[in-house]
Structures are given as structure tokens and as C-alpha cells.
Amino acid sequence: MEYVLYEQQDMIGIITINREKALNALNSQVLDELSETFDSVDLDTVRCLILTGAGEKSFVAGADIGEMSTLTKAEGEAFGKKGNDVFRKIETFPIPVIAAVNGFALGGGCEISMSCDIRICSENAMFGQPEVGLGITPGFGGTQRLARLVGAGMAKQMIYTARNIKAEEACRIGLVNEVVKATLDEEGNVTVSAKENLMAEAKKMASTIAKNAPIAVRNCKKAINDGLETDMDKAIVIEEKLFGDCFETEDQKAGMGNFLEKDKEKKLKVVPFKNR
Ligand code: CAA
């Protein structure tokens, strides 16, 4: 693939959007390659994914403005659908996806991060939906997911004003969970970049997730996502079914058996969870 890199490290898959010269902007080819990459993830061995952008400056600086500039109404709608289909694939992907946001996350970049389960970012990250300044609406789910994540009032303010916000503000409003800084020496020189620390933090979180029972983690993702789309009476039924689905799995037997173990040593032992 030209614009998407994929690497598996133990039970973690790392997807990197690799179009650094254009600040990792999403053109049709990047979107197609992303879709193919998600399709090719080995779900028997990978338990958590990390999505990031190549380089230190930008996660994704939006949909490709050059490609969009000459689209007709019908083509614009089709381009929106292309992005939405990929982002929905990410959102409903069976295993968790962590967005490691290493710089600009504007327009389609903010939108792709919001289709992931969890967002953490480097201190130089900047989020925003600048579309109204370009004469369009957000088109890859921004009007929907931003309002669900940070509330309608804050989403409307960000989208109508097209004002970009820095990492700390994104954290304050709940758009990201954590801001990762560079490591400095006593003189204030950077010894480890914010991007390197961000990736280390993302991998740490991913491996913590990967150590837990995989069927239970998948069912939690589905319960939260599906439950948020319906009313509470139906949502708790969704949870009941997914809760019940965990019983009789090897993981449930091992996890609970371990807890009930009288032997203290064995009780504290990490359970080697399986995908069954
Ligand atoms: N599309 C296409 N190319 C882009 C791009 C984008 N969204 N963002 C950056 N680039 C390209 C630039 O054209 C430039 O290419 P050249 O070197 O060939 O000229 C290269 O990336 C570097 O960009 P800059 O020189 O502009 O870098 P900078 O540091 O001066 O500025 C920036 C960085 C503030 C992020 C600026 O590039 C910028 O404002 N980019 C556009 C951000 C944007 O508006 N995103 C929303 C797009 S619309 C959208 O996403 C719609 C949707 O919801 C589906």
C-alpha cells in the first residue's frame, strides 16, 4: 500500500496513515487503503488497534481539499459516503481502536479520531472542524459524533466558529482522554519527543486492554456502542444479552476460577485469556 502502513506487535496492531507530505490528508486512495487494512487485520491474534499519522506534525489534516475542490453535488455526497463507510467500519470494528493523535486533527482528521474508541494526543495536537470556512459542512460524521462526544452546545460552537482548539482544551471538553508531553532534560531540551511518548502510552494502554478477556472486551464495545443508539429499556437488554454471551466461555471460567482460587499465588496470577 502507498499511504497506509500496518504492523503487528504481539497482540497489538498499529495502523499509520502515511502521507506526510500532505499532512496525512485523506484522499480517496487513503480511504480505500484504510478500509482494506481494517479488513485484513487478523482478529484471531490482534486484540487492540492503534491508529496514528506519520511524522511529528500531523495526525490527519482533513479530507483532501484538492480532490474535493472540483466535486459536483452528487460526487460530494458520494465522497462523504466513502469516508463515512470507512469511519463506521472503524467505529463498529470488533476490537477497540485507540487514536494516537500526533498533531493536527482537523476536519476529517478530527472525525476519524472520533470514530475510534479512545483518543489520546500529543501536546502539539490541534483539533477542529474548519469546514464552514471552506464552504462545506463536516462530511465524515463530524456533525454527529462531535455532538455526541462533547455535547451539542460545544459541538455547535466549534463547528459554527471553525475555531481550532489545542490539546489541553480538547482534554478539558472530553474530546481526548489524555495529553502526552515530550520529555525534557534539565536545560529544557527535548530528550524524547511527544510523538514517541504518545506511542509508548498508546501501546501501554493497548497492551493493558489486550491482556483482558477478549470476548468480554469485544462485548463491552458492542454494548456501549449499540446501547448509546437506543433508549435505556432497550439498552439494558442489549447489555443482558452480551453479558450472558460471556458465560461458558473459557475466559469466564478461567477469570472467575482464578479469583475463587484459595492459593494466594495462583489467585494473583495473570490469566492467559483466549479468544474462546
Ligand atoms: N488537503 C490537501 N492537502 C493538504 C491538506 C488537506 N486537508 N492539509 C494540508 N495539506 C497539504 C498542503 O497543501 C501542503 O502541500 P504542499 O506542500 O504541496 O503545498 C502540505 O500539506 C503542508 O501544508 P501547509 O504548507 O499548509 O502546512 P502549514 O504548517 O503551513 O499548515 C495546516 C498546516 C494549518 C494544517 C494547514 O495545512 C491547513 O489548514 N490544512 C487544511 C486543514 C483543513 O481545513 N482541514 C479540513 C478539510 S475539509 C474536510 O475534512 C471535510 C470533511 O469533513 C470530510
Side-chain angles (χ1 to χ4, degrees):
M1 289 197 193
E2 193 178 350
Y3 295 134
V4 179
L5 307 174
Y6 182 66
E7 176 194 356
Q8 186 176 338
Q9 293 180 5
D10 196 14
M11 292 185 287
I12 302 165
I14 302 168
I15 298 174
T16 305
I17 300 171
N18 183 33
R19 197 185 169 213
E20 210 179 328
K21 277 195 188 140
L23 304 185
N24 304 318
L26 304 170
N27 62 15
S28 293
Q29 188 180 340
V30 178
L31 291 170
D32 287 339
E33 291 186 13
L34 268 173
S35 182
E36 281 172 46
T37 304
F38 274 87
D39 287 342
S40 69
V41 171
D42 177 8
L43 287 169
D44 288 331
T45 55
V46 177
R47 294 187 184 175
C48 190
L49 290 171
I50 297 170
L51 177 69
T52 193
E56 303 262 339
K57 181 174 168 179
S58 179
F59 172 66
V60 171
D64 192 297
I65 300 173
E67 181 173 341
M68 286 186 297
S69 62
T70 57
L71 299 182
T72 62
K73 279 182 196 285
E75 286 165 348
E77 192 175 328
F79 189 62
K81 179 167 168 30
K82 189 185 240 317
N84 278 333
D85 286 350
V86 182
F87 291 15
R88 191 75 181 127
K89 183 178 282 190
I90 298 172
E91 190 166 47
T92 60
F93 204 66
I95 58 175
V97 185
I98 299 169
V101 179
N102 56 305
F104 293 115
L106 303 176
C110 187
E111 291 169 309
I112 196 170
S113 80
M114 292 190 291
S115 71
C116 299
D117 296 87
I118 296 166
R119 284 151 295 289
I120 60 173
C121 71
S122 53
E123 60 187 333
N124 63 321
M126 187 174 276
F127 293 81
Q129 297 290 160
E131 287 87 348
V132 294
L134 295 164
I136 55 172
T137 66
F140 292 166
T143 56
Q144 304 309 308
R145 292 194 182 92
L146 189 59
R148 282 166 172 77
L149 267 172
V150 302
M154 188 58 81
K156 285 177 175 175
Q157 184 179 331
M158 279 180 69
I159 291 171
Y160 301 168
T161 62
R163 186 175 69 88
N164 297 335
I165 58 171
K166 290 185 180 163
E168 292 298 343
E169 189 173 353
C171 196
R172 187 174 56 75
I173 66 170
L175 184 51
V176 294
N177 295 1
E178 191 184 336
V179 180
V180 181
K181 293 188 158 65
T183 310
L184 307 178
D185 66 15
E186 280 168 9
E187 274 104 50
N189 302 311
V190 174
T191 52
V192 187
S193 72
K195 166 87 189 266
E196 280 178 80
N197 281 338
L198 172 70
M199 289 312 289
E201 189 61 23
K203 285 179 198 171
K204 200 166 111 194
M205 191 186 289
S207 55
T208 305
I209 293 170
K211 282 192 192 97
N212 285 322
I215 295 170
V217 170
R218 287 179 186 213
N219 284 10
C220 288
K221 173 164 177 169
K222 194 164 168 44
I224 294 169
N225 280 358
D226 293 357
L228 281 173
E229 281 173 20
T230 187
D231 63 75
M232 189 56 85
D233 286 321
K234 294 193 187 98
I236 53 171
V237 174
I238 291 172
E239 188 190 75
E240 283 157 20
K241 291 200 183 323
L242 290 159
F243 174 68
D245 184 56
C246 296
F247 288 81
E248 296 180 49
T249 61
E250 286 186 43
D251 287 349
Q252 179 255 332
K253 288 189 201 311
M256 292 191 181
N258 208 44
F259 178 78
L260 295 172
E261 183 62 64
K262 293 277 177 261
D263 180 335
K264 276 234 164 73
E265 282 296 301
K266 282 193 193 160
K267 194 170 181 162
L268 292 172
K269 206 180 87 200
V270 174
V271 180
F273 286 118
K274 302 187 175 70
N275 283 314
R276 297 194 287 275

